[in-house]
Amino acid sequence: MAQATQEFGDWPLKRLMTDVVGSGPKSADDMSREQAREAFQRILADEPDATTLGAFWLANRWKRNNPEELAAYTDVMREESVVTAEPEADPVDCGANYDGKHTSAVLGVGAGVVAAAAGTPVVVHSGDRVPTQKATAYKHVLDDLGVQTELEPSESADMVDETGFGFYYQPAFNPGVQDLYDRRDQMGVRTFVNTIETIANPANADVHLGSFYHLAFAKKLTDTLKASDRLDYSRAIFFQGMEGYDDIRPGYTKVAEWDESEARSASDNASGDEPRAGEELEDYEIETAEYGMAMEAEDLEVEDVTADSAAITEEILAGERDDHFADAIALNGAFRMYARRDVESLEDGLEQARDVIADGSAQAVLEDLRAF
């Protein structure tokens, strides 16, 4: 709730609607960074009434936020809501769309465990039935596998250091955003909160692995990371995941990769000018057939996403399956290794992924997680 002593600037959401963002998709203006910061500070303080908040969220949706606005929202979230706990390991941060999947299996738990067994620490984070889809996310698969999920951030960091894989629970590490749950649920459509929560980075990781629906959105997100004052990612990879999740699609997947060192190199030119936003972004394709995986999207569909994802993950980690799901988990595990630069290529990562499944190392990580 808003504190009686809290002071804001001159931009309540109603004024922003009237003067800046509320005039329609084609005529609305973008907010300044200061305006966007104040807007989200007011939202986290529960200052706007429900009608004004809903209108503001919808106006942001039709206007489409630019990277400067998203960076402002993210910075306020990091300053006023996110509780970080940094493990000694330097993990890959996997922030899949929090509202989950409703058709295909969630592969990220198995992929993360495989990567951890190969020496690449991985952090995943999610909420619990987040609007709008309120579908299966990381928490639900881990719950079904018997892994503790309702952890405080410091416990999540310990999980990473003890097992190589860690889960951060949104209500514990991002309570301000969690407090918006009911209002988000009443909206019935996604808001900018669905975007920024995926880059909350509770473990202060250097590398982020996320997903997007269109390449232009990946460029917007990497520009958001660069514009943020509170995110310190040095590398980010986004791809067109299945159902917007961080699972590589069977067949063709578009990938967008950004590396801060390459961005600095690009800016070190004769003129001394800074590069334009997004020009350091590299995009390429992954074709699963090139890795001997002849599968289609429907091959990874399941009836009960939570229960089936957990069962499939357990069987693969135990070496009891050799099918499309096993291929998909191995490839996604390899991609996590590649994201952290622990392997030079996906081929190298695939070899390691299959080795740690075959020798029981991946299953051992799962057992360590259950014992944590």
Side-chain angles (χ1 to χ4, degrees):
M1 298 296 292
Q3 301 297 315
T5 58
Q6 187 164 356
E7 295 183 1
F8 299 110
D10 298 325
W11 291 96
L13 266 60
K14 187 175 180 180
R15 183 183 176 197
L16 284 170
M17 287 292 298
T18 302
D19 293 358
V20 186
V21 302
S23 59
K26 295 182 179 180
S27 57
D29 292 324
D30 292 327
M31 289 174 283
S32 69
R33 193 182 189 97
E34 291 73 20
Q35 288 170 333
R37 280 186 57 88
E38 181 178 339
F40 203 47
Q41 286 171 335
R42 289 175 180 270
I43 291 169
L44 289 178
D46 196 26
E47 189 259 359
D49 67 78
T51 301
T52 303
L53 176 57
F56 181 77
W57 271 338
L58 192 59
N60 275 251
R61 182 179 173 87
W62 73 45
K63 181 190 78 69
R64 298 184 181 181
N65 291 118
N66 64 25
E68 192 78 4
E69 291 167 333
L70 290 173
Y73 295 150
T74 302
D75 287 349
V76 170
M77 176 182 69
R78 290 271 298 177
E79 293 163 5
E80 301 193 7
S81 179
V82 174
V83 179
T84 61
E86 189 171 329
E88 293 184 12
D90 186 12
V92 176
D93 172 67
C94 295
N97 285 335
Y98 274 36
D99 59 358
K101 297 172 75 173
H102 55 73
T103 302
S104 59
V106 174
L107 308 174
V109 173
V113 168
V114 165
T120 296
V122 171
V123 157
V124 302
H125 43 97
S126 81
D128 188 358
R129 306 296 175 189
V130 170
T132 58
Q133 291 193 134
K134 302 170 74 172
T136 297
Y138 277 120
K139 171 179 168 54
H140 311 114
V141 178
L142 288 164
D143 284 342
D144 236 48
L145 285 167
V147 177
Q148 189 177 185
T149 59
E150 297 187 11
L151 302 168
E152 292 302 313
S154 61
E155 296 174 307
S156 299
D158 290 341
M159 178 184 276
V160 180
D161 288 328
E162 290 186 24
T163 72
F165 179 98
F167 174 76
Y168 285 69
Y169 185 40
Q170 185 181 42
F173 79 80
N174 202 350
V177 166
Q178 174 63 23
D179 287 345
L180 298 173
Y181 183 98
D182 289 340
R183 291 194 178 189
R184 294 172 66 187
D185 194 23
Q186 291 298 316
M187 277 293 296
V189 296
R190 291 168 62 87
T191 72
F192 63 75
V193 181
N194 290 81
T195 299
I196 66 172
E197 66 190 352
T198 67
I199 52 174
N201 197 14
N204 287 334
D206 289 328
V207 178
H208 176 75
L209 188 68
S211 65
F212 63 89
Y213 289 99
H214 304 289
L215 182 60
F217 188 69
K219 291 179 179 178
K220 180 182 291 189
L221 283 175
T222 54
D223 288 345
T224 296
L225 302 187
K226 288 181 285 183
S228 169
D229 294 329
R230 300 302 181 195
L231 289 175
D232 293 320
Y233 294 123
S234 62
R235 178 169 164 81
I237 301 180
F238 296 94
F239 56 93
Q240 288 177 308
M242 294 187 68
E243 299 185 67
Y245 224 69
D246 53 11
D247 299 326
I248 293 171
R249 299 181 181 191
Y252 169 91
T253 298
K254 190 74 170 178
V255 181
E257 185 174 319
W258 171 79
D259 191 289
E260 185 179 47
S261 62
E262 295 173 6
R264 287 174 176 168
S265 176
S267 67
D268 185 16
N269 54 52
S271 67
D273 294 333
E274 288 296 322
R276 292 186 303 273
E279 71 180 11
E280 314 90 4
L281 192 68
E282 176 187 2
D283 63 271
Y284 53 92
E285 297 80 35
I286 293 176
E287 296 274 2
T288 53
E290 294 180 1
Y291 302 94
M293 301 176 186
M295 56 181 168
E296 303 295 334
E298 55 265 26
D299 293 324
L300 301 182
E301 292 179 359
V302 291
E303 292 185 7
D304 184 326
V305 177
T306 299
D308 291 345
S309 296
I312 289 166
T313 297
E314 184 165 19
E315 291 164 3
I316 290 170
L317 297 181
E320 297 172 358
R321 292 183 77 122
D322 184 14
D323 57 7
H324 295 314
F325 291 104
D327 285 341
I329 280 182
L331 182 61
N332 279 280
F335 202 60
R336 283 147 175 77
M337 301 176 212
Y338 170 77
R340 194 172 176 266
R341 298 196 185 279
D342 290 335
V343 294
E344 293 186 2
S345 67
L346 281 181
E347 290 89 347
D348 293 340
L350 267 172
E351 182 177 354
Q352 291 195 31
R354 288 170 171 147
D355 285 347
V356 298
I357 292 172
D359 68 16
S361 299
Q363 186 178 30
V365 172
L366 176 59
E367 292 308 317
D368 289 343
L369 285 166
R370 284 170 164 161
F372 179 81

